[in-house]
Amino acid sequence: MGDDANRAADPARPAGLARGTRVLITVAAAVVVFVGIWFARELLVPVAVAAVVVIIAHPVRRPLERRGWPSWLATTVVIAVGYAILAVLGLLLVVASAQFIAILPDYADELQSTAQGVVDWLQSLGFSSEAAATAAGAIDPEQLLSFAAGVADAVLGAATAFFFVLAYVLFMAADASRFSRGTSVFGGARADAIGSRYFSGVRRYYVVNASFGAIVAVLDGLLLWALGIPVPITWAILAFVTNFIPNIGFVIGLIPPAVLALVIGGWPLALAVVLAYSAINVVLQEFVQPKFVSDAVGLSLTLTFFSVVFWTLVLGPMGALLCIPLTLLVRAVLLEPDPTTGSLRHLTGDPRAP
């Protein structure tokens, strides 16, 4: 009775729960949802990968159908393009993993010597022996061999999930054909516009990143070959893959060849690798590439970095590669349809926010 009397006395007071209560309930619901996604990540990651592949390959359908190709044949071509993308990525990962595992035993002694040298240097700077040993453990041969075994297990697990990705691509491509023949995909002009922007943004993001990633990979591979770093193809593939990880991908791709350069050539060679890598990647990834993807993505730098950390925590390593389309999907589903969320969209970096 008291709440009803107060609401009647103040007509401007909104009905229902207080804003703070609604926010807490929304946050609690989001936590429950993402915990559920974490538990189901082995099921959901292949779905997400297949969806991205179909989004990238789907535009192949339009010119074929305009030329009079039957729908089933255009769908077959889309599926073939999707399978080709997956086959190339799978081949790159297998080659890189095999070469990485093969070279570790050949450099075990050098790695051990370098690790001991790092320990001695850190102790001379005043670090305790435990702290120095922990810091040098990153290049300890046993740690790297254990990591190599983990890489082999991950590749085997990816091969197992690959079957499900192929099946999802097949079914999603067929569904996309059916949806493309309808007058409205999402039930309204506004929703269709949001979906169209999302699909085109994801497609452009991956196509542009793949193009620049290939350029970076070739330049990095040639650089490492010229400097005499072993298995430059492996590190070129790593540079290509990590180009899809925003902000920190360059650092992840730099560490292994820099450590190997330190092992075989000492600090001067490692410094040369770091400087040359930085020159190539900073120019392309920080100055040129953003001009092509900023309009398609429209995410602030802070949110982009947070999305890498968050989706990696939720989905594992594949979350780092899928973080941008997943973050854009959350914004497209939760924020863009609501006209009252303009301020939140603006904070995310959306250039179309009112």
Side-chain angles (χ1 to χ4, degrees), residues 35-344:
V35 168
I37 293 174
W38 182 82
F39 278 108
R41 62 188 181 277
E42 294 184 0
L43 174 65
L44 296 177
V45 166
V47 176
V49 173
V52 168
V53 170
V54 172
I55 289 173
I56 295 172
H58 183 72
V60 176
R61 171 190 310 280
R62 300 191 186 100
L64 298 179
E65 291 183 340
R66 283 198 298 266
R67 295 181 180 181
W69 287 40
S71 178
W72 66 267
L73 187 55
T75 300
T76 302
V77 174
V78 171
I79 295 172
V81 172
Y83 284 178
I85 294 173
L86 293 172
V88 170
L89 292 177
L91 179 62
L92 291 177
L93 291 176
V94 169
V95 170
S97 301
Q99 290 192 349
F100 174 67
I101 294 171
I103 68 168
L104 284 180
D106 298 335
Y107 291 93
D109 294 338
E110 290 88 344
L111 287 168
Q112 185 66 52
S113 175
T114 302
Q116 186 58 47
V118 172
V119 169
D120 295 340
W121 175 64
L122 291 176
Q123 287 180 337
S124 69
L125 296 178
F127 289 89
S128 65
S129 57
E130 292 80 5
T134 300
I139 56 175
D140 182 75
E142 294 183 1
Q143 295 288 340
L144 291 177
L145 287 173
S146 176
F147 176 74
V151 169
D153 292 341
V155 171
L156 180 60
T160 304
F162 195 69
F163 168 78
F164 294 99
V165 176
L166 294 178
Y168 287 132
V169 168
L170 175 64
F171 300 138
M172 288 181 181
D175 288 338
S177 173
R178 178 169 57 87
F179 291 144
S180 64
R181 293 194 296 269
T183 57
S184 177
V185 178
F186 297 106
R190 178 177 173 82
D192 286 347
I194 293 174
S196 177
R197 286 198 302 269
Y198 171 75
F199 293 143
S200 62
V202 170
R203 189 179 303 118
R204 184 177 178 184
Y205 170 76
Y206 277 108
V207 170
V208 171
N209 270 28
S211 302
F212 279 94
I215 296 173
V216 169
V218 170
L219 294 177
D220 287 346
L222 292 175
L223 166 71
L224 297 176
W225 173 76
L227 293 176
I229 307 299
V231 291
I233 294 179
T234 298
W235 314 127
I237 294 173
L238 180 64
F240 174 77
V241 173
T242 55
N243 191 65
F244 293 96
I245 304 176
N247 298 342
I248 61 174
F250 157 64
V251 178
I252 297 174
L254 168 64
I255 292 175
V259 169
L260 194 57
L262 175 64
V263 169
I264 66 174
W267 292 105
L269 184 58
L271 184 60
V273 170
V274 171
L275 292 177
Y277 248 64
S278 300
I280 294 173
N281 288 268
V282 168
V283 170
L284 288 177
Q285 294 182 350
E286 301 300 330
F287 294 105
V288 180
Q289 185 172 332
K291 297 182 182 297
F292 292 88
V293 299
S294 59
D295 293 338
V297 175
L299 293 176
S300 65
L301 293 176
T302 302
L303 181 58
T304 300
F305 181 75
F306 175 78
S307 68
V308 176
V309 178
F310 177 79
W311 289 111
T312 302
L313 175 65
V314 174
L315 297 178
M318 284 301 299
L321 300 176
L322 298 170
C323 63
I324 295 300
L326 291 174
T327 302
L328 292 176
L329 179 63
V330 171
R331 186 172 71 184
V333 172
L334 299 182
L335 298 183
E336 292 189 35
D338 188 350
T340 65
T341 59
S343 58
L344 291 177

